Amino acid sequence: MNTLPLYIGGCFQNGADPSQDVINPATGASLARAARATTAETEAAIRAARQAFDSGVWSGATAMKRGQVLLEVAHRLRAQAAELARLETENMGKPVLEAEADVADAAACFEYYGGLATKVTGEVNPVPSDALSLTLKEPVGVCGQIIPWNYPLLMAAWKLAPALAAGCTTVLKPAEATPMTALELARILDGVPDLPKGVVNIVTGDGPTVGAKLAASDLVDKVAFTGSTRTGRSILRAAADSNLKRVTLELGGKSPNIFFADAHWEAAVEGAVFGVFVNQGEVCSAGSRILVEKSIHQRFLEAVVEKARTIRLGDPLDPATRMGPLVTAAHRERVLSYIEEGRREGARLVLGGGKPNGALARGAYLEPTIFDRVDPGMKIAQEEIFGPVVAVIPFEGEPEAVEIANATPYGLAGAVWTRDIYRAFRVVKKLRAGVVWVNHMQPTYVEAPWGGVKMSGAGRELGLHGIDNYLELKQVYVHLSEDPIGWY
Ligand code: NAI
Ligand code: MG
């Protein structure tokens, strides 16, 4: 059995407790054993990152050098793309076609921030002429980076690339279920000659042990987290109770995908299906509520069900597959309990709702599931399910669409489908969300900011703004003469 190491201070070491079973969710087969880092091991990783930061070996490297290192990481990711995609699919269950796109996106993220490293500049502030006021941008320090299992490699890239570009050092914690590609990334990073030891540490383990330690440690200056709103809250609390470290959060969602009667029919039908079923619905921005104008409700529902029936559920390593198993059998049980809840609440199940049998029975598969006539107040319309389950909610007119769209505690994303540009932009302006698509849903680019409002998070990742999470401002005042103040 392949035992996965911890990566601390530039060394791969065996963990004291290598008891985390890593499972292929498509087959139930065991892939490896990962370390569940102890508190002492987590502290060692934090100390390594602290030491690397305080020594100045990385923050003091030229921005050009840091950028070159990131470009080299991207290059190595692309050279290993096929192998990484396969590993991601085996560990996480997503269709290999999606995993290939994720690897390319991860490489692009390192390229983008590799380029941006040399474009971080300070400012000169317009103070009176007897002084010079400068704003310097400095790395925030040691970062704890806690990521989920739905995009294991891509989330590692979203976290590491801007932090490294800014000159920070980090301890990255993958999700319990999906350590494979993060540790492969550790191998890649370890092989890049100009990346000093201890700048990146990768520590697998349990959230309440490793993650909670990162959030509570006084030696950590900033935590970046992607995951559930519940865990996000505990991280914010731990930061408040320790050293008031900087916190950015990318949390849950219940994003509305809004369809008006004039939308382009075929694009809209496919967009409704893709919006929620891509990546098995295990997407923070999943279009898990389909809001549809009453005049087309019945016909649209039928078309969406018809399209969803064509989704190829199967072996995720088969390039023809469009939906794989859920990440774990336990997660499938959680999603199934929401399906049960939807039935109990009286929503109408019109597609799926169960585990497929036959050849797929040994994996954590779940059928694409559609509930119709969902009341906006029902649990399945309010809570994040994080699986292939969608709630169809009819509406009458634009104000009601907006009202329903905004009536959840979340505000990550949303989409509106219409050919009326006035209406499109009116709705865009009224949606309380961090990301809004018009006539599409889900495309995400490293060049543009990402993140949510309300209980979907705090702060924005990606784009030019993404690097600000890893920079502190220092205002410098320079007095331009030797004259005393003359106050006394
Ligand atoms: P989670 O938020 O508990 O886990 C995400 C990461 O946080 C993992 O690395 C985990 O080990 C870590 N973590 C867990 N407890 C922690 C703690 N007390 N302190 C610090 N770190 C901690 O999410 P989980 O349990 O995997 O999934 C539960 C639900 O969360 C899902 O059903 C879904 O609704 C939501 N979720 C949302 C994601 C998003 O991208 N917005 C991603 C993953 C889950
Ligand atoms: Mg959890």
Side-chain angles (χ1 to χ4, degrees):
M1 173 67 62
N2 178 17
T3 302
L4 304 174
L6 302 169
Y7 183 57
I8 298 175
C11 297
F12 289 96
Q13 63 181 64
N14 291 324
D17 177 14
S19 65
Q20 175 72 51
D21 246 332
V22 184
I23 304 290
N24 178 340
T27 62
S30 199
L31 291 170
R33 284 276 167 88
R36 299 165 75 183
T38 60
T39 299
E41 287 164 336
T42 307
E43 285 169 346
I46 294 171
R47 275 198 309 275
R50 185 78 256 169
Q51 209 170 2
F53 184 77
D54 292 344
S55 75
V57 66
W58 186 242
S59 61
T62 62
M64 186 66 82
K65 175 57 73 188
R66 293 199 303 269
Q68 286 163 346
V69 164
L70 294 191
L71 294 177
E72 180 61 26
V73 174
H75 176 74
R76 292 177 186 218
L77 282 170
R78 290 195 190 280
Q80 241 180 278
E83 181 196 336
L84 285 163
R86 187 186 168 86
L87 201 58
E88 193 81 308
T89 287
E90 282 175 350
N91 187 179
M92 189 274 168
K94 68 174 68 203
V96 70
L97 215 61
E98 288 191 42
E100 284 165 8
D102 290 359
V103 178
D105 287 351
C109 186
F110 281 99
E111 283 156 356
Y112 179 85
Y113 286 107
L116 190 58
T118 46
K119 283 87 188 170
V120 174
T121 56
E123 289 156 5
V124 180
N125 305 305
V127 296
S129 60
D130 64 346
L132 187 62
S133 171
L134 306 175
T135 303
L136 307 186
K137 293 185 182 173
E138 300 181 338
V140 68
V142 174
C143 302
Q145 304 188 304
I146 304 167
I147 58 173
W149 42 261
N150 56 340
Y151 291 87
L153 181 68
L154 185 58
M155 288 300 107
W158 281 25
K159 295 290 181 276
L160 293 175
L164 295 176
C168 294
T169 64
T170 110
V171 179
L172 176 84
K173 193 199 95 60
E176 288 85 334
T178 55
M180 300 298 282
T181 48
L183 285 164
E184 203 48 41
L185 179 60
R187 297 262 171 224
I188 289 175
L189 295 166
D190 193 62
V192 174
D194 289 325
L195 184 61
K197 286 182 186 305
V199 171
V200 179
N201 304 272
I202 298 186
V203 177
T204 54
D206 298 350
T209 308
V210 181
K213 182 78 218 174
L214 292 173
S217 171
D218 287 336
L219 297 180
V220 173
D221 300 298
K222 187 235 156 41
V223 168
F225 171 73
T226 299
S228 66
T229 294
R230 181 196 158 110
T231 299
R233 196 194 285 277
S234 78
I235 286 170
L236 203 52
R237 192 175 288 129
D241 289 342
S242 56
N243 59 348
L244 290 175
K245 58 179 64 64
R246 304 323 178 219
V247 178
T248 44
L249 302 171
E250 208 265 78
L251 309 175
K254 196 71 191 177
S255 299
N257 203 357
I258 308 170
F259 297 90
F260 287 95
D262 70 330
H264 185 284
W265 189 259
E266 276 153 41
V269 170
E270 193 183 9
V273 173
F274 183 82
V276 66
F277 294 129
V278 68
N279 208 49
Q280 299 78 234
E282 296 165 321
V283 181
C284 51
S285 56
S288 52
R289 293 183 296 151
I290 292 176
L291 275 49
V292 56
E293 199 160 14
K294 270 189 184 139
S295 62
I296 58 165
H297 172 205
Q298 201 48 42
R299 200 160 62 91
F300 191 70
L301 177 70
E302 281 161 21
V304 167
V305 168
E306 202 52 42
K307 178 64 83 181
R309 275 189 212 286
T310 69
I311 295 173
R312 274 186 67 167
L313 191 63
D315 173 5
L317 287 171
D318 180 345
T321 291
R322 291 294 176 270
M323 190 185 290
L326 299 194
V327 66
T328 59
H331 183 58
R332 177 173 64 176
E333 289 310 310
R334 186 162 44 199
V335 175
L336 278 166
S337 73
Y338 273 108
I339 293 174
E340 201 39 56
E341 180 68 18
R343 285 194 164 112
R344 212 188 50 73
E345 285 179 307
R348 196 161 71 95
L349 183 69
V350 292
L351 184 71
K355 309 173 184 177
N357 34 37
L360 302 184
R362 68 203 173 117
Y365 289 91
L366 186 60
E367 295 165 337
T369 298
I370 301 178
F371 279 104
D372 184 35
R373 299 193 190 281
V374 177
D375 185 274
M378 288 178 183
K379 224 168 165 174
I380 59 164
Q382 286 291 318
E383 297 186 12
E384 182 174 60
I385 299 176
F386 223 68
V389 181
V390 68
V392 177
I393 305 172
F395 69 83
E396 183 95 65
E398 198 179 308
E400 195 189 17
V402 168
E403 188 190 318
I404 296 171
N406 286 335
T408 79
Y410 294 114
L412 183 55
V416 53
W417 300 72
T418 176
R419 280 187 283 191
D420 176 342
I421 63 162
Y422 305 105
R423 173 153 64 197
F425 282 101
R426 278 197 304 269
V427 173
V428 163
K429 288 188 72 172
K430 285 183 183 139
L431 287 182
R432 294 197 63 201
V435 180
V436 183
W437 292 283
V438 177
N439 294 330
H440 209 317
M441 193 172 209
Q442 299 310 350
T444 300
Y445 292 95
V446 62
E447 296 90 335
W450 179 268
V453 303
K454 300 197 303 189
M455 286 178 69
S456 288
R460 294 293 181 276
E461 299 186 278
L462 304 187
L464 294 175
H465 299 284
I467 200 165
D468 293 338
N469 297 324
Y470 296 98
L471 295 167
E472 289 282 9
L473 302 183
K474 178 181 282 172
Q475 197 251 113
V476 183
Y477 173 94
V478 184
H479 197 53
L480 294 181
S481 84
E482 292 183 348
D483 297 343
I485 301 170
W487 188 255
Y488 303 104

